[in-house]
Amino acid sequence: MKPKDLKPPFSWKNREVLLQHPLLYVPGCIDDYSSFEFPHWDELFGSKKPVHIEYCSGNGDWIAQKALQNPDINWVAVEKRFDRCRKIWSKLANFQLKNLFIVCGEAVTVTKHYFANESIDAIYVNFPDPWPKTKHAKNRLIAKPFLTQVKRILQDRGDLTLVTDDEVYRDQMILEVLKAQKLKPLYPEPFHQQTPLDYGNSFFDNLWREKGKSIATMVFKNEHE
């Protein structure tokens, strides 16, 4: 299957929340998100397994590898750009990944409205857009609205893993997460370490490594008590 084989399910004028397995479409700027009822993960996947989510999945290189290598885990890719979701879908179809599901939508909106409390075992955010200009900083994902949802959906002792090549954003991520109660750093101060080569490949991982940039990983454990 090629990415172009996945056609847009609706026009902008007729946009709606729509589940067409293995994709959930959650368009922006609609009046009512509550009218759609998202199924339980066990029902969605047809199996009772731990659920791991990757936000900012991009072209899906990393999560497709993980789903292929870890069939005992159900994987969810969240990506807001439809052109990138097409590429994830193509990998899902070509590798016949029954343990991978795709959400096309904005991370905070999708999570707030459709992901149940304490339903996720692990969360990964790989190379989120650093929005380097000060005037654009409000668009950064790793901030209070997103972290509030992360704490809600992660199970007790579940992990939040953040990966970035941007040193400024790395430090800001750490400050934001430390401000969020109950998310405790796994690594000692300065709370990050160099990302190992076996973490998994992605477009940005390969790009920045080729340019000689250092890539940092931060892991935080959700503690409900």
Side-chain angles (χ1 to χ4, degrees):
M1 306 291 284
K2 297 181 179 179
K4 66 180 181 180
D5 294 331
L6 179 64
K7 307 300 181 183
F10 43 68
S11 66
W12 174 255
K13 181 179 179 180
N14 298 316
R15 63 194 182 279
E16 61 178 327
V17 180
L18 182 65
L19 176 60
Q20 289 187 342
H21 204 280
L23 282 95
L24 172 69
Y25 300 89
V26 185
C29 304
I30 62 175
D31 296 329
D32 183 16
Y33 289 99
S34 63
S35 61
F36 175 83
E37 185 173 348
F38 189 63
H40 190 275
W41 294 117
D42 294 353
E43 178 184 352
L44 187 71
F45 282 103
S47 62
K48 189 176 180 61
K49 300 176 183 177
V51 178
H52 291 199
I53 294 180
E54 182 197 21
Y55 291 91
C56 308
S57 291
N59 297 338
D61 294 335
W62 184 87
I63 198 166
Q65 293 172 32
K66 292 298 180 182
L68 192 62
Q69 296 165 0
N70 300 275
D72 55 333
I73 296 172
N74 287 328
W75 296 85
V76 181
V78 178
E79 171 57 51
K80 67 180 180 180
R81 285 178 47 174
F82 179 69
D83 59 327
R84 290 175 176 172
C85 287
R86 278 178 154 178
K87 294 178 180 180
I88 304 172
W89 172 83
S90 178
K91 293 177 176 67
L92 182 155
N94 290 332
F95 290 123
Q96 300 182 8
L97 298 171
K98 298 185 183 302
N99 62 328
L100 177 58
F101 182 78
I102 305 165
V103 179
C104 184
E106 192 276 325
V108 177
T109 300
V110 166
T111 307
K112 177 180 178 180
H113 290 286
Y114 302 122
F115 296 168
N117 295 349
E118 301 181 38
S119 63
I120 306 302
D121 295 84
I123 292 174
Y124 308 85
V125 187
N126 294 320
F127 300 99
D129 192 334
W131 292 97
K133 293 184 179 180
T134 302
K135 65 180 180 180
H136 295 151
K138 63 183 179 182
N139 296 317
R140 291 171 181 159
L141 177 61
I142 309 304
K144 184 177 180 178
F146 176 68
L147 294 172
T148 297
Q149 297 304 321
V150 165
K151 292 187 294 181
R152 180 183 63 80
I153 67 171
L154 263 182
Q155 294 187 6
D156 188 32
R157 308 298 294 169
D159 287 343
L160 166 65
T161 300
L162 308 175
V163 177
T164 184
D165 63 286
D166 189 287
E167 294 182 0
V168 174
Y169 196 19
R170 177 200 67 199
D171 293 342
Q172 191 231 353
M173 286 181 184
I174 292 171
L175 288 174
E176 289 290 335
V177 179
L178 291 178
K179 286 192 299 184
Q181 297 178 358
K182 301 180 182 178
L183 290 169
K184 307 302 181 183
L186 184 65
Y187 305 136
E189 197 168 357
F191 310 121
H192 64 82
Q193 68 176 25
Q194 187 168 338
T195 304
L197 291 174
D198 62 356
Y199 176 74
N201 294 322
S202 67
F203 172 81
F204 286 112
D205 182 87
N206 293 333
L207 176 66
W208 300 132
R209 287 187 189 277
E210 289 174 0
K211 292 181 179 293
K213 298 190 72 172
S214 178
I215 300 172
T217 293
M218 298 142 278
V219 182
F220 301 88
K221 194 165 289 291
N222 196 37
E223 298 184 358
H224 289 183
E225 299 299 330

